[in-house]
Amino acid sequence: MSQRVVIGVSDTTFSATCGACGTAFAGRLDDDLDSGIFLCREGHTITIVRADDPAAPAASEVSAA
């Protein structure tokens, strides 16, 4: 399972729920980074990316690979 969470272009903090285990987690993506890889408490990998379009609202998605 590939997980991806999209955050707003100016957001630096986020919270999400792991699609694999349901664990809630939060993190920080420094404003000079476009993406990052984080782990939930159970060790599942979640990729955090910034929205491409500054006018677009942030949206989360989890997709199976």
Side-chain angles (χ1 to χ4, degrees), residues 28-49:
R28 175 179 173 80
L29 185 65
D30 290 338
D31 57 4
D32 62 336
L33 299 174
D34 290 329
S35 65
I37 297 175
F38 293 79
L39 300 176
C40 77
R41 292 180 191 155
E42 298 294 323
H44 300 110
T45 303
I46 299 99
T47 302
I48 308 298
V49 297

Side-chain angles (χ1 to χ4, degrees), residues 13-34:
T13 60
F14 63 88
S15 60
T17 302
C18 176
C21 67
T23 302
F25 68 98
R28 175 179 173 80
L29 185 65
D30 290 338
D31 57 4
D32 62 336
L33 299 174
D34 290 329

Side-chain angles (χ1 to χ4, degrees), residues 6-8 11 51 56-60:
V6 180
I7 62 173
D11 292 343
S60 298

